[in-house]
């Protein structure tokens, strides 16, 4: 069986590389630096099933992005990652269609469980 | 008003009782009616205000005042008080005139009507209102009943006016209600009491002067006329005087309140800033923590992987450095160093700062143009803090330029020294510009968002100023005003 393709969208190399370490064994990974790159990558690659996306990013914030992804690519599941631990942001993300919400510093087991639940 | 009329009435009643001469007793007996005829409409006015039915009952209030005014016209005629004569233990006590029955009728009607209004309003009132009405009701019944005992003797019925003592319970009950059930705004009560006490004093003085210098009935008539004519203008003047005095008293109070409010506002502003800082801190520290945590977790498993080891060293090292730098900047933001003013050469400072950034300028293919037009450029300021300001602004300018560009630094001087730093970088949107000084708000990928916050607070501390002009794609201009 082919590996599920996941798009990781975060502007920080440290976070991208951490997620690579956690997920590279079980999943096929694609990376994006910002919102625009994320949209382009989903457009080009319809095999992307899951997106892990940071809420705070330059140019366009993650919640804005989430709205567009859910509108233009309803088949793609989105998990939000954030350094802000406020209930309001989590609630807003879930309301906009995110399926889960991971708080930094991310826990490898939580990331894996969260993704497995979606597959 | 009600209390004032009752007070004046009580004063004349007392004077009436102690009058030793026929003339004085007749005068006080008549004078006491000037206030007593107004007790009823003022009482009614108080009741409708208490029950919040003033608007609906305005006609009745007017009628009551009109009737009182008509009665007032007869106050100094034998139709109201015929004469005074010795009765019971009193040296002199008033004899009722022909029209006196009208006053008693009005007295009874007002009492019954007011009691009816209060009882009617009771069921629909809230708890506090109910308590207020209850106290006023008790006080009213006692006063009317007590007051009623004064009048039989006027008609020669030999019943002592024992009930008048009960009337003194009335202010006690109302005072209790004022304090316990917020019957009235106590400040208004104080204000009004001062006004009407002064007014009573004025009436008393006129009366005394007349008694001392004029003749009997003439004195009474003249004083009544003078009091009637002067009552309103004097009242207005006294009221204005009291208000002025009171306002002066309260001005300091208002200032104090304002200071308190301002402090609370500042405190809440501080709390908001702390919340923003905390949220920003969380993000700025949790991001590098993610990398440190994950790389450490995978270290045993991937120890032999050369690529992993290379990434570990680079990423974890940089992230630790980043946390350290965030904390350093935060500390500087939270607890700035004290101001250290000394003779400062702005031009040397600018040159030094540009030199400090030369490596980045070359790397980013940026040319710096200098036009130092300020005469000397020397002034009393804090060079360390200014260096920090210039460094941050120049660093922002460099980072806003992507594929080579220019930075223009100029100075000019009038009363202040102005430093202008303009770049040909990417610029900012109006939304980004409006948040430029917010701590932890950054347009850069790896910015902490503290740079301009610190610059802003330093410029404030130096009693200078900063203006940023920027448009997306058009570059940014920062103008610094530095005072000595």
């Amino acid at each position: 069986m082919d590996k599920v393709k996941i798009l990781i969208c975060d502007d920080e190399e440290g976070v991208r590389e951490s997620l690579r370490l956690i997920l590279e064994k079980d999943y096929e990974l694609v990376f994006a630096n910002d919102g625009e790159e994320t949209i382009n990558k989903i457009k080009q690659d319809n095999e992307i099933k899951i997106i892990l996306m940071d809420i705070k990013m330059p140019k366009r914030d993650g919640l804005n992005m989430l709205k567009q992804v859910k509108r233009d690519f309803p088949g793609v599941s989105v998990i939000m990652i954030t350094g802000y631990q406020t209930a309001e942001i989590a609630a807003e993300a879930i309301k906009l269609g995110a399926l889960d919400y991971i708080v930094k510093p991310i826990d490898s087991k939580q990331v894996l469980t969260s993704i497995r639940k979606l597959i | 008003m009600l209390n004032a009329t009752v007070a004046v009435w009580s004063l004349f009643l007392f004077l009436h009782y102690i009058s030793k001469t026929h003339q004085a007793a007749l005068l006080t007996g008549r004078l006491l009616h000037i206030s007593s005829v107004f007790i009823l409409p003022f009482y009614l006015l108080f009741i409708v205000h208490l029950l919040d039915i003033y608007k609906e009952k305005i006609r009745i209030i007017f009628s009551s005042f009109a009737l009182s005014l008509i009665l007032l016209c007869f106050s100094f005629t034998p139709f109201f008080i015929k004469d005074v004569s010795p009765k019971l233990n009193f040296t002199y006590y008033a004899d009722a005139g022909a029209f006196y029955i009208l006053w008693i009728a009005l007295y009874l009607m007002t009492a019954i009507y007011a009691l009816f209004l209060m009882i009617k309003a009771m069921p629909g009132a809230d708890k506090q209102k109910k308590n207020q009405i209850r106290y006023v009701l008790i006080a009213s019944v006692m006063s009317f009943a007590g007051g009623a005992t004064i009048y039989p003797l006027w008609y020669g019925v030999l019943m002592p006016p024992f009930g008048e003592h009960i009337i003194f319970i009335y202010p006690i009950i109302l005072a209790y209600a004022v304090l316990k059930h917020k019957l009235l705004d106590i400040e208004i009560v104080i204000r009004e009491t001062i006004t009407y006490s002064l007014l009573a004093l004025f009436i008393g003085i006129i009366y005394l002067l007349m008694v001392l210098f004029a003749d009997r009935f003439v004195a009474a008539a003249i004083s009544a006329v003078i009091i009637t004519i002067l009552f309103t203008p004097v009242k207005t003047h006294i009221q204005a005087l009291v208000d002025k005095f009171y306002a002066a008293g309260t001005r300091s109070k208002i200032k104090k309140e304002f200071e308190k409010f301002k402090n609370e506002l500042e405190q809440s502003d501080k709390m908001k800033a702390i919340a923003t800082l905390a949220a920003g801190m969380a993000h700025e520290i949790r991001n590098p923590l993610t990398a440190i945590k994950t790389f450490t977790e995978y270290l045993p498993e991937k120890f032999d992987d050369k690529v992993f080891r290379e990434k570990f060293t680079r990423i974890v090292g940089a992230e630790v450095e980043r946390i350290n730098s965030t904390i350093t900047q935060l500390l500087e933001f939270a607890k700035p160093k004290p101001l250290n003013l000394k003779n400062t050469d702005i031009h040397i400072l600018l040159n030094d700062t540009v030199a400090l950034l030369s490596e980045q300028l070359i790397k980013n293919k940026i040319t710096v143009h200098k036009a130092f037009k300020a005469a000397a450029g020397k002034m009393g300021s804090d060079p360390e803090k200014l260096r920090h300001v210039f460094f941050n602004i120049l660093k922002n300018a460099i980072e806003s330029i992507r594929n080579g560009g220019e930075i223009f630094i100029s100075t000019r001087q009038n009363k202040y020294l102005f430093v202008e730093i303009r770049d040909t970088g990417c610029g900012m949107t109006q939304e980004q510009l409006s948040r430029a000084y917010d701590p932890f708000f950054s347009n850069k990928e790896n910015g902490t968002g503290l740079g301009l916050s610190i610059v802003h607070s330093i410029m404030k501390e130096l009693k200078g100023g900063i203006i940023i002009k920027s448009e997306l794609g058009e570059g940014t201009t920062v103008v610094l005003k530095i005072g000595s």
Side-chain angles (χ1 to χ4, degrees), chain A residues 12-13 17 83 104 108, chain B residues 286-287 297 311 314 322:
Chain A
E12 296 206 13
E13 193 198 1
E17 289 304 321
K104 288 175 187 172
S108 54
Chain B
R286 278 175 175 157
N287 262 344
E297 194 184 325
K311 275 187 189 169
R314 184 169 56 83
R322 197 173 133 197

Side-chain angles (χ1 to χ4, degrees), chain B residues 144-423:
Chain B
F144 278 118
T149 62
I150 298 171
Y151 301 110
L153 199 56
W154 287 57
Y155 284 96
V157 179
L158 294 179
M159 184 181 104
F162 58 85
E164 66 196 17
H165 305 297
I166 302 172
I167 299 172
F168 294 106
I169 300 171
Y170 154 85
I172 297 169
I173 296 177
L174 285 197
Y176 179 74
V178 164
L179 293 175
K180 188 160 181 213
H181 299 289
K182 298 179 182 143
L183 182 61
L184 293 169
D185 184 338
I186 199 75
E187 286 197 1
I188 293 171
V189 175
I190 294 168
R191 241 158 119 146
E192 298 295 287
T193 309
I194 297 170
T195 305
Y196 289 102
S197 305
L198 290 174
L199 206 54
L201 189 73
F202 160 74
I203 294 170
I205 290 170
I206 288 186
Y207 168 72
L208 265 171
L209 285 174
M210 286 299 146
V211 168
L212 286 174
F213 298 110
D215 185 58
R216 298 179 176 200
F217 190 76
V218 183
I222 293 174
S223 50
V225 169
I226 292 176
I227 291 167
T228 315
I229 294 170
L230 292 183
F231 188 86
T232 313
V234 169
K235 191 202 126 194
T236 315
H237 280 292
I238 294 176
Q239 182 89 63
L241 219 84
V242 170
D243 278 352
K244 206 173 152 191
F245 163 77
Y246 208 83
T250 48
R251 232 196 304 277
S252 63
K253 219 173 99 188
I254 291 168
K255 205 178 155 198
K256 227 182 194 173
E257 289 277 312
F258 176 73
E259 285 296 321
K260 204 178 132 203
F261 179 67
K262 212 176 99 190
N263 281 346
E264 275 170 19
L265 210 67
E266 270 170 14
Q267 194 60 31
S268 90
D269 252 13
K270 240 183 238 171
M271 290 311 286
K272 256 190 236 160
I274 289 171
T276 317
L277 278 175
M281 269 293 271
H283 195 272
E284 284 308 308
I285 289 178
R286 278 175 175 157
N287 262 344
L289 276 184
T290 294
I292 296 166
K293 190 180 170 204
T294 314
F295 273 83
T296 318
E297 194 184 325
Y298 281 82
L299 182 63
E301 188 186 314
K302 298 224 163 206
F303 189 74
D304 296 328
D305 184 338
K306 201 183 158 205
V307 179
F308 172 83
R309 281 209 311 268
E310 181 271 319
K311 275 187 189 169
F312 185 101
T313 318
R314 184 169 56 83
I315 292 172
V316 172
E319 300 292 45
V320 168
E321 192 44 54
R322 197 173 133 197
I323 293 176
N324 190 34
S325 140
T326 302
I327 291 170
T328 309
Q329 287 201 58
L330 186 71
L331 286 175
E332 201 163 327
F333 180 72
K335 203 179 168 189
K337 283 181 204 149
L339 206 60
N340 182 16
L341 294 175
K342 53 174 104 161
N343 195 18
T344 310
D345 191 322
I346 305 291
H347 295 155
I348 291 179
L349 263 184
L350 281 166
N351 282 331
D352 283 356
T353 316
V354 171
L356 208 67
L357 289 159
S358 59
E359 194 194 330
Q360 272 164 283
L361 288 165
I362 295 163
K363 221 162 67 182
N364 290 291
K365 299 180 202 117
I366 297 166
T367 319
V368 175
H369 305 272
K370 294 175 199 163
F372 295 162
K373 289 174 196 155
K378 279 187 187 165
M379 61 197 322
S381 193
D382 186 325
E384 278 312 305
K385 287 189 187 264
L386 275 181
R387 192 194 303 275
H388 197 110
V389 169
F390 297 154
F391 182 84
N392 268 289
I393 294 169
L394 283 168
K395 201 165 134 278
N396 282 345
I398 292 168
E399 284 167 359
S400 77
I401 296 168
R402 302 266 154 82
N403 301 309
E406 288 161 303
I407 294 176
F408 300 87
I409 306 172
S410 63
T411 63
R412 63 197 145 86
Q413 198 164 15
N414 46 38
K415 193 179 159 200
Y416 296 95
L417 198 145
F418 291 90
V419 176
E420 188 179 301
I421 298 171
R422 183 164 65 86
D423 66 60

Side-chain angles (χ1 to χ4, degrees), chain A residues 5 28 30 40-49:
Chain A
K5 205 179 248 184
E28 192 182 337
V30 184
N40 288 339
K41 292 238 160 114
I42 315 170
K43 267 187 198 160
Q44 286 160 12
D45 192 343
N46 56 14
E47 278 178 24
I48 294 171
K49 295 281 175 278

